[in-house]
Amino acid sequence: MTPEFHSRLRNLLTDDLAPFAAGLLLASFALLATLVTLTGMTLDWTGLGACIGFSAGFLVIGLGIRVAGNNARMGNVALALAVLSGTTVCNVFSMNIALRLRMPLVDAKLVALDHLIGFDSARLVLNFASHPVLTQALGWVYVQANWLTVVIVLCQCLRPRPDWRPLIVYSFCLSVSVIATAFLPAIGNIPYSHLAFLENHGLPWGAGTYHLDAFRYFHEGSGQIAGNANLSGVGVFPSFHTVMGLIIATALRGTRLHLAGAAFGAATIVSTVPMGGHYVSDVVGGILVWAAAMAFAGMPARAAKRHDAGAQTRPAPCEPGLRPLAA
């Protein structure tokens, strides 16, 4: 192996992405394994195995490209795909399986918290439903935010100087959502407030109720198989769509699309209450989790700045027989 190869390998292992990506992937796998053990559920590997294979394949491809030095950008995208696919599929499985712990629902507490901060989420949904054109538009935004977030995360990895923060924030917040769902499960504002009658009467089909079959299967049912057929977005607190809205808005800041990104991100956050069946408390929780994830994602950059500052202030070594000049 040539010195150049060793240099590339060393740079890869000390890259900001590598330790964070490894940690996030390991956390996702550990969460899934822990929850399967605690609940005794059986995984349907038909879909899960293919997704994990996809993630592992892109991880190997990304590492190979980066070490070979053929195309750093493509290597970065492959690594990002590996982390995105691995953390997404594991955490979606984990979030649903976490409901099988059958912890008490916290909807009443979230309603009380809403009132404490001056909001009535049920009243907000009724107000939105009186504007069906608006709710149709918000429904479209709510759905498109999923793939748009993934595209933006990957595009950030294609930059000449990749920005890994959106990827780290996305994966970190997913894992936090799993833990929150395990200990603070909630059925959501629309079913809890008996507003499902608004479906197709001011709200689009499935608004705030699309997750109910999966929720009941895992939290109330007795089935032992966890597979693609019975999964859904069952996390209520914190709101992960709020996290995605903030990722979209902040990732496009400083670009020609910053106004569009800010508008779409804001619309995504607004859509969480009428479309996702969230409480305002969930939105606040999503903002706090996003802020914590941003601080976590910025740790390598801050450490690198401190290292560079230390290197610049460190006195240069003296030649043998010479003494440094006094200040």
Side-chain angles (χ1 to χ4, degrees):
M1 295 184 182
T2 65
E4 183 181 2
F5 175 86
H6 284 289
S7 175
R8 289 172 183 159
L9 183 60
R10 183 170 59 253
N11 290 338
L12 174 64
L13 294 177
T14 57
D15 188 283
D16 289 350
L17 171 67
F20 278 72
L24 291 167
L25 279 170
L26 286 174
S28 299
F29 287 127
L31 273 174
L32 180 58
T34 300
L35 288 167
V36 168
T37 301
L38 290 174
T39 61
M41 296 201 74
T42 301
L43 294 174
D44 179 0
W45 288 92
T46 305
L48 180 61
C51 290
I52 290 179
F54 178 89
S55 175
F58 271 101
L59 181 63
V60 172
I61 292 171
L63 291 174
I65 293 174
R66 287 289 302 275
V67 172
N70 295 329
N71 189 323
R73 286 191 182 184
M74 293 308 299
N76 290 338
V77 171
L79 288 173
L81 280 171
V83 176
L84 267 175
S85 57
T87 56
T88 298
V89 70
C90 286
N91 284 316
V92 168
F93 267 82
S94 296
M95 197 176 298
N96 284 264
I97 294 172
L99 291 174
R100 185 52 61 90
L101 295 175
R102 305 188 200 279
M103 298 295 285
L105 301 184
V106 299
D107 291 87
K109 293 182 174 63
L110 293 174
V111 169
L113 186 55
D114 274 8
H115 291 163
L116 184 65
I117 59 179
F119 287 95
D120 184 339
S121 294
R123 175 58 57 184
L124 284 175
V125 171
L126 288 169
N127 290 339
F128 275 111
S130 65
H131 300 85
V133 175
L134 174 61
T135 58
Q136 287 292 336
L138 289 176
W140 181 84
V141 169
Y142 189 82
V143 172
Q144 305 310 315
N146 294 284
W147 69 264
L148 183 59
T149 303
V150 172
V151 169
I152 286 176
V153 167
L154 293 178
C155 286
Q156 293 299 93
C157 298
L158 267 173
R159 295 169 57 179
R161 297 183 63 181
D163 183 1
W164 301 111
R165 288 176 300 172
L167 172 64
I168 294 169
V169 168
Y170 175 92
S171 303
F172 179 90
C173 290
L174 261 180
S175 295
V176 171
S177 296
V178 170
I179 297 171
T181 300
F183 294 101
L184 301 169
I187 198 169
N189 176 35
I190 289 179
Y192 180 78
S193 301
H194 307 291
L195 298 176
F197 69 90
L198 292 173
E199 186 175 332
N200 292 327
H201 293 85
L203 296 183
W205 181 88
T209 61
Y210 63 88
H211 67 297
L212 288 181
D213 287 344
F215 188 94
R216 288 166 179 152
Y217 176 85
F218 286 99
H219 193 265
E220 304 166 8
S222 57
Q224 290 298 308
I225 304 298
N228 289 345
N230 44 34
L231 297 179
S232 186
V234 295
V236 173
F237 179 86
S239 164
F240 191 69
H241 263 75
T242 296
V243 172
M244 290 195 291
L246 290 166
I247 289 174
I248 292 168
T250 55
L252 295 178
R253 190 171 53 195
T255 72
R256 288 177 296 179
L257 297 174
H258 69 283
L259 291 178
F264 196 94
T268 301
I269 295 171
V270 170
S271 73
T272 59
V273 173
M275 297 300 112
H278 284 285
Y279 303 95
V280 174
S281 305
D282 304 333
V283 176
V284 175
I287 294 171
L288 294 176
V289 170
W290 170 84
M294 284 293 287
F296 175 74
M299 288 171 58
R302 291 192 295 271
K305 283 184 178 179
R306 288 195 297 269
H307 180 272
D308 292 343
Q312 291 174 2
T313 58
R314 194 177 299 121
C318 298
E319 295 182 13
L322 296 178
R323 292 183 299 174
L325 295 174

